[in-house]
Amino acid sequence: MSAEATNPEARPEARPELRRRGRTRLDLRRLGRAALLGPTSRDRLPDAIGHVAEAHRAHHPDADLSLLRRAYVLAESSHRGQTRKSGEPYITHPLAVTLILAELGAETTTLTASLLHDTVEDTEVTLDQVRAEFGDEVCFIVDGVTKVEKIDYGAAAEPETFRKMLVATGNDVRVMSIKLADRLHNMRTLGVMRPEKQERIAKVTRDVLIPLAERLGVQALKTELEDLVFAILHPEEYEHTRALIAAHAGERDPLPAIADSVRGVLREAGIAAEVVVRPRHFVSVHRIARGRGELRGSDFGRILVLVGEKADCYAVLGELHTCFTPVVSEFKDFVAAPKFNLYQSLHTAVATPEGHVAEVIVRTRQMHRVAEAGVVALGNPYATAPAAESPADCDEERADPTRPGWLSRLLDWQQSAPDPDTFWSVLRAELAQDREITVFREDGRASGTLSLPAGASCIDAAYAQYGEAAHGCIGARVNGRLTSLASPLSDGDTVQLLIAQDASSGPAADWLEHAKTPAARIAISSWLQAHPDTAKPAATPARAPLSVVGARGGGGNAVADLPDATVRLAGCCTPVPPDAVAGFVVRGGAVTVHRIHCAAVAQMRALGRTSVAVHWRATADCRVTLLAESFGRPHLLADLTEAIAREGVEVVSATVEPPVEQRVRHTYTLQLPDATGLPSLMRAMRDVPGVYDVRRA
């Protein structure tokens, strides 16, 4: 039983005036049962095509129903004599699947393919006949669904089944729409199967199909699938939740009164809106009960406000927050920042003077349609494509212009999955991600965006952008700052990835700890398996840095207001004129000079070091320490020192650290004839091939 049916009078979909406006009717199970059984006896075939046509016309008044009738005739005649395990005529199954999609607002092509989705697999009808009778689009979708259904649903075959389903979905998302409706009807009639088979199918539905329904935005299917799975896998908790809902039905519900108050507020503000109470489904009530313990009367539903325009959403929000007490922590704006599954709404919660707290969802009618039906509401993604792009045969692959970014990622990495078990485990991990981030990439030649799951690191961005070439990634700049590859990314970050020039370089074993995306994990694992000697490098004694020139300088042209004191420029921040500086007396009576914003200044003050005023001499020369980071290559040190010499700068000392992951760090202490030449010197050093960063120590 669907929780949406617990209070049919409160549902907007039960009101005729809303149906006339094209609102989606969501009590799919009740309507499906009525359509299939109707007033006829069970031994007679019900004429459910009439219900399908009525539901279809509610969303598409000008739809050509002749195509549906022809598809129904072919499906009924082809399946005649076949029965389901429940004993019902087999034609009831494609009819029920089609009715589900019609209620969601699917276009005619999808409904036609849905009626025929089992004919090629289970009858004598061929794809050529489907193409000749109904066209290339219907043929393409039927073939996609058929390829999914051809695989046995045994326990060992499940990973390969869903791999094929994933590929078929990538070619046309309408294939997945039909598959989800197909699974929903099968779950409704699962009671005729053995308990162990019910549990296995329910687990697969929970792990893969429900997350896919969420990703595709088909909330109407997702919520009922969740309830059906909940009843099978957690029967005791399901019964407890059903008892809570039944007990609440006999109590006074505060939500209708709150909805009346909201209507009055919006009416006075001159905002045209529909305000309805939507009961929560079973799983939603269970989650709230588990999180809060004792349920309040307003926890069994939410208030839905439907308006005409996007601007009205914010007008409604303003009135609600003005006339009621808002619960600030509950506010979420999915209108300005839609979810990755196209979902758009404003979420808030308000408290009434009586102490009731009600959750409120505000959206336009179009947003509501997309929120409930997801990709089904998008219609035919190829409707505006040139005729030349229509598939010539059913085996042709094509790119869906409405394909979400997450689906493109799944299609990319599934080709690289080494075995079904790996595919299955990473598929479940990927689908468990419920949020996406968008980062901006910049590689010096091109720019664009990358869509990644929340929590992704620079490693994930590297493999998303460069594929296997990311094996040579040695670092990244995030928002202009050099950072490690393990650094997590946030929504809106700008990422510049640094790739080594050595083609033989590869990823480190610890990259797997920081990689979140399947593409990155599979690529890294494959490389490490192919190069076992590099996975765990032998421990080697630390190599001392190479010091080219000795001698560190003293205070340069800094002067301390302390007679006869030795002045030293701090190596941690290397101050140069005209930096603002501070001096501190250290052991031996020497004065160490730091830039005023150096972290050591706060430490010196905390330790009680004596502060000494410091100023710069009138002379223009200065001493500075620079750090240069580069890719390892021959003659790099010679090229850098030559660039420094061309600027007329003296090298006081130079230290080169051993390479780490193809990266080399150089430390130079330099004597400049004029402090104003420092920016020019740093630019000259950055222009040396292989150098990607130069900064003051």
Side-chain angles (χ1 to χ4, degrees):
M1 175 181 179
S2 172
E4 293 286 354
T6 57
N7 187 2
E9 294 302 319
R11 289 194 323 274
E13 55 271 19
R15 295 169 56 187
E17 67 270 23
L18 297 186
R19 287 202 300 268
R20 285 195 297 270
R21 296 175 185 176
R23 291 281 312 287
T24 303
R25 289 171 289 174
L26 303 176
D27 194 0
L28 303 179
R29 192 178 185 193
R30 178 181 61 80
L31 289 171
R33 187 185 299 113
L36 294 176
L37 302 181
T40 60
S41 60
R42 293 181 62 89
D43 59 347
R44 292 181 57 193
L45 180 66
D47 185 16
I49 189 63
H51 295 276
V52 172
E54 179 186 357
H56 187 39
R57 275 285 171 85
H59 293 277
H60 304 277
D62 300 326
D64 180 9
L65 299 182
S66 62
L67 198 65
L68 288 180
R69 292 193 177 94
R70 286 193 286 118
Y72 171 69
V73 169
L74 177 59
E76 193 279 328
S77 60
S78 301
H79 290 296
R80 190 173 298 162
Q82 298 177 348
T83 58
R84 307 190 76 217
K85 289 187 177 181
S86 61
E88 294 174 319
Y90 193 86
I91 187 61
T92 59
H93 172 64
L95 282 171
V97 172
T98 306
L99 181 60
I100 291 171
L101 294 170
E103 290 291 338
L104 290 174
E107 38 79 48
T108 308
T109 303
T110 302
L111 299 184
T112 304
S114 176
L115 283 169
L116 301 171
H117 78 270
D118 279 335
T119 55
V120 174
E121 171 65 15
D122 297 334
T123 73
E124 299 299 322
V125 176
T126 66
L127 282 173
D128 289 337
Q129 288 176 302
V130 173
R131 183 189 297 108
E133 184 69 20
F134 300 100
D136 290 331
E137 285 290 334
V138 173
C139 172
F140 192 91
I141 300 172
V142 170
D143 183 47
V145 179
T146 301
K147 287 177 179 177
V148 174
E149 298 298 339
K150 278 185 178 180
I151 307 301
D152 178 29
Y153 272 78
E158 285 288 10
E160 187 60 26
T161 296
F162 285 100
R163 185 197 292 264
K164 289 180 177 292
M165 183 175 63
L166 199 63
V167 175
T169 301
N171 290 336
D172 196 318
V173 292
R174 291 173 291 180
V175 172
M176 178 58 72
S177 302
I178 296 174
K179 179 60 189 175
L180 289 172
D182 175 82
R183 177 54 64 99
L184 175 57
H185 183 246
N186 285 334
M187 289 293 296
R188 288 172 177 171
T189 57
L190 210 56
V192 299
M193 295 186 177
R194 299 187 307 274
E196 59 271 17
K197 191 168 184 180
Q198 291 184 35
E199 184 175 348
R200 179 180 64 79
I201 294 175
K203 286 180 177 178
V204 173
T205 304
R206 176 197 64 192
D207 294 341
V208 177
L209 284 173
I210 288 177
L212 279 173
E214 168 73 17
R215 291 296 186 94
L216 294 172
V218 194
Q219 294 295 323
L221 301 187
K222 179 218 170 193
T223 52
E224 188 176 350
L225 284 172
E226 281 185 328
D227 284 347
L228 292 168
V229 168
F230 183 42
I232 293 172
L233 298 183
H234 307 282
E236 294 182 0
E237 295 176 353
Y238 176 82
E239 289 299 328
H240 175 68
T241 304
R242 187 168 68 172
L244 287 176
I245 294 174
H248 169 71
E251 299 175 354
R252 182 177 179 274
D253 188 349
L255 286 178
I258 299 175
D260 286 338
S261 299
V262 171
R263 289 189 192 98
V265 167
L266 299 182
R267 190 182 308 113
E268 290 180 6
I271 302 174
E274 297 175 30
V275 182
V276 294
V277 175
R278 297 196 65 187
R280 293 182 183 273
H281 65 106
F282 276 61
V283 172
S284 180
V285 172
H286 170 68
R287 287 171 181 159
I288 293 177
R290 188 172 57 182
R292 295 180 183 171
E294 185 176 353
L295 292 174
R296 302 169 303 201
S298 57
D299 288 336
F300 290 87
R302 292 185 289 189
I303 294 175
L304 174 65
V305 180
L306 296 175
V307 294
E309 303 292 337
K310 181 187 294 186
D312 295 336
C313 294
Y314 294 98
V316 169
L317 184 70
E319 293 297 327
L320 291 176
H321 286 189
T322 299
C323 300
F324 299 91
T325 302
V327 181
V328 179
S329 61
E330 296 294 325
F331 174 66
K332 298 180 181 66
D333 187 347
F334 296 118
V335 174
K339 289 185 178 182
F340 58 84
N341 60 1
L342 310 176
Y343 180 88
Q344 287 185 287
S345 291
L346 295 178
H347 288 216
T348 189
V350 295
T352 67
E354 295 79 16
H356 299 296
V357 177
E359 293 187 32
V360 183
I361 300 175
V362 185
R363 58 175 70 138
T364 67
R365 293 178 181 84
Q366 175 61 21
M367 290 177 189
H368 179 66
R369 182 168 177 247
V370 174
E372 298 298 330
V375 296
V376 178
L378 298 180
N380 181 359
Y382 305 98
T384 59
E389 295 182 8
S390 298
D393 59 71
C394 295
D395 292 326
E396 180 182 344
E397 293 186 1
R398 57 182 174 178
D400 189 337
T402 64
R403 179 188 297 165
W406 62 266
L407 182 54
S408 296
R409 291 200 305 272
L410 290 180
L411 291 170
D412 290 339
W413 67 256
Q414 66 85 22
Q415 298 177 357
S416 306
D419 57 78
D421 290 337
T422 301
F423 165 79
W424 184 244
S425 61
V426 294
L427 173 64
R428 292 175 61 181
E430 170 74 4
L431 292 178
Q433 298 286 341
D434 61 354
R435 194 167 67 87
E436 273 194 351
I437 61 173
T438 299
V439 298
F440 299 91
R441 59 181 178 87
E442 179 61 57
D443 61 8
R445 297 180 302 276
S447 60
T449 60
L450 296 172
S451 295
L452 299 169
S457 65
C458 295
I459 295 172
D460 299 303
Y463 282 95
Q465 182 172 349
Y466 292 109
E468 292 189 357
H471 292 331
C473 192
I474 60 173
R477 281 194 182 94
V478 178
N479 301 325
R481 299 177 63 90
L482 199 65
T483 186
S484 69
L485 288 173
S487 299
L489 297 169
S490 300
D491 199 30
D493 282 346
T494 298
V495 183
Q496 181 182 359
L497 300 159
L498 308 172
I499 306 296
Q501 297 172 339
D502 184 1
S504 64
S505 61
D510 62 355
W511 284 18
L512 285 173
E513 300 175 12
H514 308 289
K516 304 298 181 184
T517 59
R521 296 185 61 83
I522 290 175
I524 295 168
S525 298
S526 300
W527 193 93
L528 293 175
Q529 291 173 5
H531 303 80
D533 295 337
T534 62
K536 294 183 178 180
T540 57
R543 294 159 51 192
L546 170 63
S547 294
V548 179
V549 186
R552 286 185 178 269
N557 51 359
V559 179
D561 292 347
L562 190 65
D564 302 324
T566 301
V567 179
R568 298 172 183 167
L569 299 180
C572 56
C573 58
T574 61
V576 299
D579 291 341
V581 291
F584 295 91
V585 178
V586 295
R587 291 178 183 177
V591 176
T592 302
V593 180
H594 296 264
R595 280 191 275 175
I596 196 69
H597 298 298
C598 178
V601 171
Q603 296 175 0
M604 290 289 189
R605 288 172 177 163
L607 293 172
R609 299 289 188 187
T610 303
S611 177
V612 178
V614 180
H615 64 273
W616 299 105
R617 288 194 184 98
T619 56
D621 65 318
C622 67
R623 183 167 294 184
V624 65
T625 300
L626 298 180
L627 296 179
E629 300 213 32
S630 66
F631 303 123
R633 67 171 179 83
H635 311 298
L636 179 61
L637 180 60
D639 292 344
L640 269 170
T641 53
E642 182 180 352
I644 294 170
R646 284 198 301 266
E647 295 295 314
V649 176
E650 176 188 352
V651 178
V652 177
S653 68
T655 301
V656 182
E657 299 178 12
V660 177
E661 295 183 359
Q662 299 295 318
R663 289 181 291 176
V664 181
R665 174 179 287 190
H666 306 248
T667 305
Y668 295 93
T669 301
L670 307 170
Q671 187 72 33
L672 279 71
D674 190 337
T676 60
L678 181 58
S680 174
L681 170 65
M682 295 175 70
R683 283 194 298 269
M685 294 175 68
R686 290 192 187 102
D687 289 340
V688 174
V691 176
Y692 57 83
D693 191 45
V694 177
R695 65 186 184 277
R696 292 172 64 179

